Amino acid sequence: MLKRRAIGWLIICITCYILLLVRLMQIQLFETKTFSKHNINLLEESVHQRTQEVVIDNGRGNFLDRNGNMLTHKKVPVLVLFPFLKKMEWSINKVSSIAGIPGKFLKQAVENAKKPFAYGDPNPLELTASQMERINALKIPGVFAIEKKYERSTVPAEQVIGLTGENPQELKRRYSNKDLSEQTLIGVSGLEESFDEFLLPEGKSKLVYHVDGDGAPLFGINVRYVDPANPFYPVNVRTTIDKDLQQKAEDLVDQYHVSKGGLVLLNIEDNSVLASASRPKINKNNPYNGGITNEMVKQQIMGSVFKTVVAAAAIDYSLDSSSRLFDCSKKINGDPELKYNYGMLNFTDSFARSCNRTFGELAKDLQKMDPHLLEKYAAKLSLTGPVGWQGNVYHTSDFKQIADEEIGRIFLTDDARKDPNYAGMSGIGQHEVRATPLAVANMMAAIARGGKKEMVRVASKIEYKNGTTMVNFPEEEIKGDSISPYTAMKLQKLLREVVLNPNGTGKWFQNLPYDVAGKSGTAETGKYMNGKQFYNKWFAGYFPYKNPKYALVAVNLDVSDNEGGVNSLFADMVRMLYDKDKGQ
């Protein structure tokens, strides 16, 4: 009996020992980086327990504007202090004198510190280059003047740049072949998502010192600077955005109380985005419920701006005769036009005054010739396909700079395509006609260039840390048919007539410092509130007329008929760009 008990206890002990051994092997050999269901990296956690550190740079790549200015972050020269200073004598008065901080404040900050810190965080005191040099010359252990990377409280073009976040499941899905910490930030929208693979960190830059269980220095007071071994990372994505223009554009959008909508500004010469503002702004606390959508790359009901496409087709099919008159005292369906009764107008005046009857009839004429004509000409003007830069980059085929860009459309069904009534409604940009503001801006740029349509770039290149080029994004034409130079010239004159005509819908822009050519649009959205119908209000154009530099689209979405116009916003953008170009 006794022997049996002894054997039993021995088996229990051996079993426990084996289980303990297996557990230790699991912890120290097999799952050191992915322990438990939470995938805890035990190596990292053990280091964290015996070190204290201040992160200088999280190692993720950065976004720069076209002039090399940081967009999402800024580097701030700060004073970093380590908590072990409270246990030693140090030249607090010298540091105080150089930094301009009363000694008692420095002493109090150190006494209260449990880990290294930048003085004044989260709004640190910014040092000058001279102050940094003099503080570091003191060579006081635990006192450093360094440049620390901080996220900007307000990010320009925030929907274009996008957001990052921690998502271990998505991280593992995207990069199962990479050894990355669960805390690694990944892009979840905008360029942060498109360029995510290039922006992943090689490691953090930080100041580190080892401590014992009580937080005292373990190996003396030597502080080490830890930096990723690869000298080429993190990379910088050089965007085409002009930070100053972007800020002024956003100020104007807010000045005119655009709650949904915004503007997009293109540089016609290299077909790149200079500024793009979308509203509503991002709600950082709940982004998916407020503002993360970039309205400039989402399809919108465009209204009369689409008449530009109908005009292009009408020119090519000789439907633009000046002798043909249209009865603009009637609506498309033949009912009397009470609000916009313009009488009899020819083709040019109809375009300038945006007569619905004219372009409804022209669309029906085109539909009789070929039910696909409206779609063909929309494609020729790059309205219905993706316009953002795409191509092969390294091992990534069909890389897209604007991953969340939607494409436009004219008809959803073949029945609608062949129906003359639907064709008439489509001719004035209603029914199922949709396009993104970015595509509309690209259409204006193509017309200004004589019909040549190009991809829109938001980034010009990716640079290594040392400034050399990793990837170039060259100017690229959009494949497919385009309008002829002759048709483009005729459209240019029509768009200019919108402004020059005393009754034109763009007459408000006659006295601007740059000559503007463009087209207005007021689209019925089918949405109502308190008995009022909502509209999308547009003005899309380019300038200067004779030497085009800029294509600009301003749009205010879901506004009532008697408010939310975009003429003043568009005009102020033109004035601002003129002043900038003239150095004022």
Side-chain angles (χ1 to χ4, degrees):
M1 186 75 169
L2 199 57
K3 184 177 179 181
R4 231 181 278 152
R5 284 183 182 175
I7 293 172
W9 278 110
L10 181 61
I11 292 172
I12 291 172
C13 290
I14 292 173
T15 302
C16 291
Y17 177 76
I18 292 172
L19 291 174
L20 180 60
L21 187 62
V22 170
R23 185 65 164 170
L24 288 172
M25 291 173 68
Q26 179 189 17
I27 292 172
Q28 297 195 2
L29 297 178
F30 305 131
E31 297 183 10
T32 54
K33 295 184 179 180
T34 56
F35 181 68
S36 83
K37 64 180 180 181
H38 302 292
N39 292 319
I40 298 170
N41 189 317
L42 296 173
L43 295 177
E44 288 184 356
E45 292 303 316
S46 66
V47 171
H48 289 161
Q49 284 183 351
R50 48 192 170 80
T51 60
Q52 289 190 354
E53 63 185 42
V54 55
V55 175
I56 300 169
D57 190 325
N58 65 7
R60 185 171 173 83
N62 306 296
F63 288 97
L64 311 178
D65 82 342
R66 62 171 49 217
N67 300 311
N69 302 306
M70 295 182 76
L71 290 173
T72 56
H73 292 77
K74 58 182 178 179
K75 289 187 176 180
V76 181
V78 296
L79 175 65
V80 173
L81 302 172
F82 280 72
F84 61 70
L85 288 167
K86 69 182 74 172
K87 298 181 180 180
M88 58 180 280
E89 292 292 328
W90 57 290
S91 303
I92 189 169
N93 291 332
K94 290 183 180 180
V95 176
S96 169
S97 176
I98 296 171
I101 306 168
K104 63 179 181 180
F105 291 166
L106 285 175
K107 185 177 181 180
Q108 183 179 15
V110 171
E111 290 292 335
N112 294 335
K114 295 182 179 179
K115 58 183 181 180
F117 65 98
Y119 184 83
D121 260 348
N123 299 303
L125 173 76
E126 294 193 31
L127 302 173
T128 65
S130 173
Q131 286 174 316
M132 289 181 68
E133 185 178 352
R134 290 162 63 196
I135 289 172
N136 287 331
L138 296 175
K139 295 183 179 180
I140 302 172
V143 178
F144 301 91
I146 60 168
E147 280 194 335
K148 188 173 184 287
K149 190 168 89 171
Y150 286 87
E151 185 177 358
R152 293 185 185 276
S153 57
T154 302
V155 175
E158 58 183 358
Q159 287 94 347
V160 175
I161 301 298
L163 297 179
T164 59
E166 293 181 12
N167 188 328
Q169 290 75 31
E170 179 64 14
L171 178 72
K172 190 173 182 179
R173 186 192 68 80
R174 288 188 196 177
Y175 309 113
S176 57
N177 60 334
K178 293 181 181 289
D179 182 18
L180 297 169
S181 165
E182 280 199 337
Q183 284 73 48
T184 300
L185 293 174
I186 58 173
V188 296
S189 68
L191 298 183
E192 290 278 14
E193 182 178 11
S194 303
F195 287 84
D196 191 50
E197 187 173 0
F198 297 100
L199 300 170
L200 290 174
E202 293 279 317
K204 298 176 181 178
S205 297
K206 51 193 175 183
L207 295 173
V208 179
Y209 83 109
H210 293 268
V211 295
D212 60 20
D214 296 323
L218 190 60
F219 304 120
I221 52 177
N222 292 324
V223 175
R224 292 189 305 117
Y225 173 71
V226 178
D227 195 34
N230 195 328
F232 295 103
Y233 290 84
V235 301
N236 295 312
V237 176
R238 187 175 286 259
T239 71
T240 62
I241 291 170
D242 183 303
K243 186 168 175 284
D244 292 336
L245 286 181
Q246 177 67 37
Q247 188 57 60
K248 290 174 181 176
E250 297 202 34
D251 290 344
L252 285 173
V253 167
D254 291 335
Q255 178 183 325
Y256 288 104
H257 307 292
V258 176
S259 58
K260 185 181 180 184
L263 63 80
V264 57
L265 174 70
L266 300 185
N267 180 349
I268 290 177
E269 182 180 1
D270 62 5
N271 217 52
S272 60
V273 176
L274 285 170
S276 178
S278 176
R279 294 295 180 270
K281 292 181 178 180
I282 293 179
N283 178 354
K284 294 291 181 68
N285 295 323
N286 191 3
Y288 290 99
N289 215 18
I292 196 171
T293 300
N294 183 359
E295 299 292 350
M296 299 303 101
V297 297
K298 298 301 177 186
Q299 56 175 228
Q300 315 288 355
I301 305 172
M302 57 191 300
S304 294
V305 175
F306 187 72
K307 292 171 183 173
T308 310
V309 174
V310 180
I315 290 166
D316 283 358
Y317 284 84
S318 302
L319 300 178
D320 60 332
S321 171
S322 60
S323 62
R324 180 182 179 183
L325 297 180
F326 300 87
D327 189 355
C328 293
S329 65
K330 295 180 180 178
K331 296 180 178 180
I332 291 178
N333 61 7
D335 290 344
E337 177 60 79
L338 301 178
K339 187 174 183 180
Y340 303 109
N341 183 350
Y342 301 140
M344 304 300 291
L345 296 179
N346 64 19
F347 176 76
T348 300
D349 287 339
S350 291
F351 190 85
R353 301 192 71 173
S354 202
C355 170
N356 286 341
R357 176 80 175 183
T358 299
F359 288 88
E361 285 190 20
L362 288 171
K364 291 178 182 179
D365 292 344
L366 292 165
Q367 188 258 354
K368 289 177 185 176
M369 297 177 186
D370 180 351
H372 296 275
L373 270 182
L374 289 182
E375 289 166 306
K376 288 178 180 177
Y377 274 82
K380 284 185 176 186
L381 287 164
S382 73
L383 273 188
T384 51
V387 300
W389 195 99
Q390 55 185 314
N392 297 332
V393 178
Y394 283 146
H395 58 277
T396 305
S397 61
D398 198 27
F399 173 82
K400 296 180 180 179
Q401 287 192 359
I402 311 174
D404 50 355
E405 177 193 7
E406 294 182 350
I407 59 173
R409 67 176 195 241
I410 310 304
F411 297 105
L412 287 179
T413 65
D414 197 49
D415 288 341
R417 187 177 291 111
K418 295 176 180 178
D419 188 307
N421 292 320
Y422 285 148
M425 291 299 293
S426 300
I428 63 171
Q430 293 289 164
H431 189 50
E432 294 296 343
V433 176
R434 304 286 187 275
T436 69
L438 181 67
V440 172
N442 200 44
M443 174 179 73
M444 290 296 166
I447 293 169
R449 277 194 299 268
K452 183 181 178 184
K453 58 183 185 180
E454 296 184 358
M455 296 180 185
V456 178
R457 296 182 303 160
V458 192
S460 58
K461 59 183 174 179
I462 303 174
E463 301 172 336
Y464 287 116
K465 185 179 179 180
N466 62 5
T468 58
T469 300
M470 177 186 185
V471 176
N472 254 323
F473 299 105
E475 296 177 47
E476 295 281 359
E477 291 188 22
I478 295 176
K479 295 179 180 178
D481 293 337
S482 59
I483 60 172
S484 69
Y486 172 78
T487 305
M489 179 193 69
K490 297 276 280 186
L491 288 178
Q492 289 168 5
K493 291 180 178 179
L494 285 174
L495 293 169
R496 181 62 179 152
E497 185 64 22
V498 169
V499 176
L500 292 179
N501 191 303
N503 297 309
T505 56
K507 62 186 177 183
W508 322 103
F509 308 124
Q510 289 178 1
N511 297 319
L512 291 178
Y514 275 144
D515 292 337
V516 171
K519 184 71 189 77
S520 62
T522 302
E524 296 179 359
T525 65
K527 300 176 185 176
Y528 291 84
M529 182 176 288
N530 299 326
K532 289 184 178 180
Q533 181 169 194
F534 281 169
Y535 298 84
N536 292 345
K537 297 190 177 183
W538 300 69
F539 197 86
Y542 67 90
F543 51 91
Y545 174 64
K546 292 184 178 179
N547 184 26
K549 291 179 65 176
Y550 306 106
L552 174 63
V553 168
V555 58
N556 207 351
L557 304 171
D558 295 341
V559 293
S560 63
D561 187 29
N562 58 356
E563 64 182 12
V566 293
N567 288 342
S568 296
L569 171 58
F570 191 100
D572 278 355
M573 278 294 295
V574 175
R575 293 187 188 98
M576 182 268 290
L577 288 162
Y578 177 86
D579 290 344
K580 175 184 176 294
D581 292 342
K582 299 302 179 183
Q584 298 178 10

mmCIF file of all heavy atoms in Angstrom, residues 361-373 417-418 420 423:
data_model
loop_
_atom_site.group_PDB
_atom_site.id
_atom_site.type_symbol
_atom_site.label_atom_id
_atom_site.label_comp_id
_atom_site.label_asym_id
_atom_site.label_seq_id
_atom_site.Cartn_x
_atom_site.Cartn_y
_atom_site.Cartn_z
ATOM 1 N N GLU A 361 -31.705 67.396 -75.377
ATOM 2 C CA GLU A 361 -31.967 67.060 -76.771
ATOM 3 C C GLU A 361 -30.716 66.504 -77.454
ATOM 4 O O GLU A 361 -30.781 65.530 -78.209
ATOM 5 C CB GLU A 361 -32.470 68.300 -77.526
ATOM 6 C CG GLU A 361 -33.902 68.674 -77.203
ATOM 7 C CD GLU A 361 -34.435 69.752 -78.145
ATOM 8 O OE1 GLU A 361 -33.856 69.924 -79.241
ATOM 9 O OE2 GLU A 361 -35.429 70.410 -77.782
ATOM 10 N N LEU A 362 -29.576 67.151 -77.202
ATOM 11 C CA LEU A 362 -28.330 66.677 -77.818
ATOM 12 C C LEU A 362 -28.001 65.252 -77.368
ATOM 13 O O LEU A 362 -27.550 64.425 -78.171
ATOM 14 C CB LEU A 362 -27.182 67.624 -77.461
ATOM 15 C CG LEU A 362 -27.203 68.996 -78.143
ATOM 16 C CD1 LEU A 362 -26.135 69.899 -77.532
ATOM 17 C CD2 LEU A 362 -26.981 68.853 -79.646
ATOM 18 N N ALA A 363 -28.216 64.980 -76.094
ATOM 19 C CA ALA A 363 -27.946 63.632 -75.579
ATOM 20 C C ALA A 363 -28.848 62.598 -76.244
ATOM 21 O O ALA A 363 -28.410 61.478 -76.556
ATOM 22 C CB ALA A 363 -28.134 63.607 -74.065
ATOM 23 N N LYS A 364 -30.094 62.970 -76.488
ATOM 24 C CA LYS A 364 -31.017 62.055 -77.176
ATOM 25 C C LYS A 364 -30.570 61.833 -78.627
ATOM 26 O O LYS A 364 -30.638 60.710 -79.146
ATOM 27 C CB LYS A 364 -32.440 62.618 -77.144
ATOM 28 C CG LYS A 364 -33.080 62.616 -75.767
ATOM 29 C CD LYS A 364 -34.471 63.242 -75.814
ATOM 30 C CE LYS A 364 -35.100 63.294 -74.425
ATOM 31 N NZ LYS A 364 -36.450 63.920 -74.453
ATOM 32 N N ASP A 365 -30.120 62.912 -79.293
ATOM 33 C CA ASP A 365 -29.619 62.780 -80.662
ATOM 34 C C ASP A 365 -28.425 61.834 -80.713
ATOM 35 O O ASP A 365 -28.319 60.984 -81.610
ATOM 36 C CB ASP A 365 -29.209 64.150 -81.218
ATOM 37 C CG ASP A 365 -30.395 65.081 -81.430
ATOM 38 O OD1 ASP A 365 -31.539 64.585 -81.444
ATOM 39 O OD2 ASP A 365 -30.162 66.295 -81.573
ATOM 40 N N LEU A 366 -27.514 61.986 -79.758
ATOM 41 C CA LEU A 366 -26.319 61.139 -79.705
ATOM 42 C C LEU A 366 -26.690 59.690 -79.411
ATOM 43 O O LEU A 366 -26.110 58.759 -79.958
ATOM 44 C CB LEU A 366 -25.357 61.678 -78.642
ATOM 45 C CG LEU A 366 -24.710 63.036 -78.944
ATOM 46 C CD1 LEU A 366 -24.074 63.620 -77.684
ATOM 47 C CD2 LEU A 366 -23.671 62.903 -80.047
ATOM 48 N N GLN A 367 -27.698 59.516 -78.558
ATOM 49 C CA GLN A 367 -28.130 58.166 -78.190
ATOM 50 C C GLN A 367 -28.713 57.428 -79.388
ATOM 51 O O GLN A 367 -28.534 56.224 -79.541
ATOM 52 C CB GLN A 367 -29.155 58.257 -77.049
ATOM 53 C CG GLN A 367 -29.546 56.918 -76.454
ATOM 54 C CD GLN A 367 -30.903 56.444 -76.973
ATOM 55 O OE1 GLN A 367 -31.588 57.175 -77.689
ATOM 56 N NE2 GLN A 367 -31.265 55.218 -76.640
ATOM 57 N N LYS A 368 -29.400 58.172 -80.274
ATOM 58 C CA LYS A 368 -29.943 57.549 -81.485
ATOM 59 C C LYS A 368 -28.814 57.062 -82.390
ATOM 60 O O LYS A 368 -28.942 56.031 -83.064
ATOM 61 C CB LYS A 368 -30.822 58.550 -82.238
ATOM 62 C CG LYS A 368 -32.141 58.858 -81.540
ATOM 63 C CD LYS A 368 -32.928 59.915 -82.314
ATOM 64 C CE LYS A 368 -34.195 60.327 -81.572
ATOM 65 N NZ LYS A 368 -34.919 61.423 -82.290
ATOM 66 N N MET A 369 -27.716 57.829 -82.432
ATOM 67 C CA MET A 369 -26.571 57.441 -83.269
ATOM 68 C C MET A 369 -25.861 56.219 -82.703
ATOM 69 O O MET A 369 -25.492 55.296 -83.429
ATOM 70 C CB MET A 369 -25.574 58.599 -83.363
ATOM 71 C CG MET A 369 -26.124 59.846 -84.021
ATOM 72 S SD MET A 369 -24.871 61.166 -84.000
ATOM 73 C CE MET A 369 -25.809 62.548 -84.640
ATOM 74 N N ASP A 370 -25.674 56.232 -81.375
ATOM 75 C CA ASP A 370 -24.952 55.138 -80.709
ATOM 76 C C ASP A 370 -25.263 55.223 -79.218
ATOM 77 O O ASP A 370 -24.888 56.205 -78.566
ATOM 78 C CB ASP A 370 -23.451 55.275 -80.953
ATOM 79 C CG ASP A 370 -22.654 54.152 -80.287
ATOM 80 O OD1 ASP A 370 -23.228 53.371 -79.509
ATOM 81 O OD2 ASP A 370 -21.433 54.082 -80.532
ATOM 82 N N PRO A 371 -25.947 54.223 -78.647
ATOM 83 C CA PRO A 371 -26.295 54.266 -77.218
ATOM 84 C C PRO A 371 -25.080 54.362 -76.290
ATOM 85 O O PRO A 371 -25.237 54.696 -75.116
ATOM 86 C CB PRO A 371 -27.048 52.943 -76.999
ATOM 87 C CG PRO A 371 -27.531 52.541 -78.351
ATOM 88 C CD PRO A 371 -26.489 53.024 -79.311
ATOM 89 N N HIS A 372 -23.895 54.075 -76.836
ATOM 90 C CA HIS A 372 -22.691 54.087 -76.005
ATOM 91 C C HIS A 372 -21.891 55.384 -76.121
ATOM 92 O O HIS A 372 -20.831 55.511 -75.502
ATOM 93 C CB HIS A 372 -21.781 52.911 -76.381
ATOM 94 C CG HIS A 372 -22.390 51.570 -76.110
ATOM 95 N ND1 HIS A 372 -22.325 50.949 -74.877
ATOM 96 C CD2 HIS A 372 -23.093 50.730 -76.916
ATOM 97 C CE1 HIS A 372 -22.944 49.787 -74.937
ATOM 98 N NE2 HIS A 372 -23.435 49.625 -76.161
ATOM 99 N N LEU A 373 -22.375 56.344 -76.909
ATOM 100 C CA LEU A 373 -21.581 57.546 -77.178
ATOM 101 C C LEU A 373 -21.260 58.354 -75.918
ATOM 102 O O LEU A 373 -20.140 58.837 -75.741
ATOM 103 C CB LEU A 373 -22.285 58.441 -78.196
ATOM 104 C CG LEU A 373 -21.943 58.191 -79.672
ATOM 105 C CD1 LEU A 373 -22.665 59.178 -80.566
ATOM 106 C CD2 LEU A 373 -20.435 58.290 -79.891
ATOM 107 N N ARG A 417 -29.510 52.679 -70.941
ATOM 108 C CA ARG A 417 -28.618 53.187 -71.989
ATOM 109 C C ARG A 417 -29.394 53.422 -73.291
ATOM 110 O O ARG A 417 -29.100 54.351 -74.051
ATOM 111 C CB ARG A 417 -27.480 52.186 -72.207
ATOM 112 C CG ARG A 417 -26.376 52.637 -73.132
ATOM 113 C CD ARG A 417 -25.274 51.595 -73.196
ATOM 114 N NE ARG A 417 -24.545 51.509 -71.925
ATOM 115 C CZ ARG A 417 -24.585 50.484 -71.092
ATOM 116 N NH1 ARG A 417 -25.348 49.421 -71.379
ATOM 117 N NH2 ARG A 417 -23.897 50.484 -69.970
ATOM 118 N N LYS A 418 -30.396 52.608 -73.534
ATOM 119 C CA LYS A 418 -31.141 52.678 -74.798
ATOM 120 C C LYS A 418 -32.428 53.490 -74.677
ATOM 121 O O LYS A 418 -33.139 53.674 -75.667
ATOM 122 C CB LYS A 418 -31.468 51.258 -75.272
ATOM 123 C CG LYS A 418 -30.218 50.451 -75.622
ATOM 124 C CD LYS A 418 -30.560 49.013 -75.990
ATOM 125 C CE LYS A 418 -29.306 48.213 -76.329
ATOM 126 N NZ LYS A 418 -29.612 46.795 -76.638
ATOM 127 N N PRO A 420 -34.391 56.852 -74.474
ATOM 128 C CA PRO A 420 -34.137 58.266 -74.798
ATOM 129 C C PRO A 420 -34.403 59.212 -73.630
ATOM 130 O O PRO A 420 -33.725 60.236 -73.503
ATOM 131 C CB PRO A 420 -35.071 58.544 -75.968
ATOM 132 C CG PRO A 420 -36.092 57.451 -75.929
ATOM 133 C CD PRO A 420 -35.418 56.260 -75.354
ATOM 134 N N ALA A 423 -31.470 58.988 -71.445
ATOM 135 C CA ALA A 423 -30.359 59.654 -72.127
ATOM 136 C C ALA A 423 -30.449 61.163 -71.929
ATOM 137 O O ALA A 423 -29.441 61.836 -71.681
ATOM 138 C CB ALA A 423 -30.365 59.307 -73.616
#
